[in-house]
Amino acid sequence: MSYSEDYKERIEYMFAAFCKVVLRNAAFTAYRDFGRKQKREVSLDYLMSETPFEPFTMDSYFEKYDKPTVFVVQGQEVIVVSERLADALCRLPEQRRVVLLMYFFLGYTDEKIGNVYGRNRSTANYWKLAALKQLRKEWEKGEHEEQETNTL
């Protein structure tokens, strides 16, 4: 079915009018939302002049710990800042500690860890899970010892 040129032109005008209405309504909505936001928000300059303190913060990640513990795994240094975690890791056997550090700190997969030791993926996964279980026990043991020293 073919349409006449007048009909096609009329459709184009109707579509253009529809687009103008949609854009006008979108602009009204945007202006209304902007006005509402202006009523609720407070200028940062106003806040700076009204507050007696400077609004900033300082990161204190490494201030609590005087000396982080460094483990060397596969020729790479792994720095553990938490003293409790480092103590618990030090109490683990060497292989379990290395497996955990490789997985969680160096990003090795179970398959890659298995390849390093000449074993398959499932064996490396078993080692990792066993090391996590033992680490949890060591962590709780250290927590218990810390509570005892704080109560004395």
Side-chain angles (χ1 to χ4, degrees), residues 1-131:
M1 177 179 224
S2 66
Y3 297 107
S4 68
E5 289 298 318
D6 290 338
Y7 181 74
K8 289 179 183 178
E9 189 175 339
R10 182 172 174 235
I11 295 294
E12 287 179 13
Y13 285 134
M14 288 173 58
F15 182 70
F18 172 75
C19 289
K20 287 178 186 177
V21 169
V22 168
L23 289 174
R24 183 176 49 127
N25 289 337
F28 286 152
T29 303
Y31 287 131
R32 184 184 64 223
D33 292 345
F34 183 71
R36 287 178 182 166
K37 187 186 281 187
Q38 272 187 326
K39 288 178 184 176
R40 285 184 303 216
E41 290 181 351
V42 178
S43 168
L44 186 60
D45 294 330
Y46 173 75
L47 286 177
M48 294 293 287
S49 66
E50 294 295 318
T51 57
F53 59 90
E54 291 292 321
F56 66 90
T57 184
M58 297 290 291
D59 292 335
S60 59
Y61 300 121
F62 300 108
E63 290 179 5
K64 296 178 185 175
Y65 310 106
D66 47 357
K67 184 180 176 193
T69 307
V70 178
F71 296 99
V72 178
V73 179
Q74 297 291 315
Q76 298 180 4
E77 289 186 351
V78 176
I79 300 172
V80 178
V81 179
S82 170
E83 290 179 26
R84 286 181 58 199
L85 179 60
D87 290 341
L89 283 169
C90 286
R91 289 190 223 129
L92 293 178
E94 179 71 22
Q95 181 192 19
R96 290 186 175 186
R97 177 177 46 240
V98 169
V99 167
L100 285 179
L101 292 172
M102 288 169 67
Y103 186 80
F104 288 106
F105 288 88
L106 299 179
Y108 281 36
T109 61
D110 290 340
E111 186 174 351
K112 204 171 179 183
I113 294 170
N115 289 340
V116 168
Y117 284 102
R119 304 295 171 111
N120 59 14
R121 181 201 58 79
S122 62
T123 303
N125 185 38
Y126 174 76
W127 288 346
K128 178 186 67 179
L129 294 176

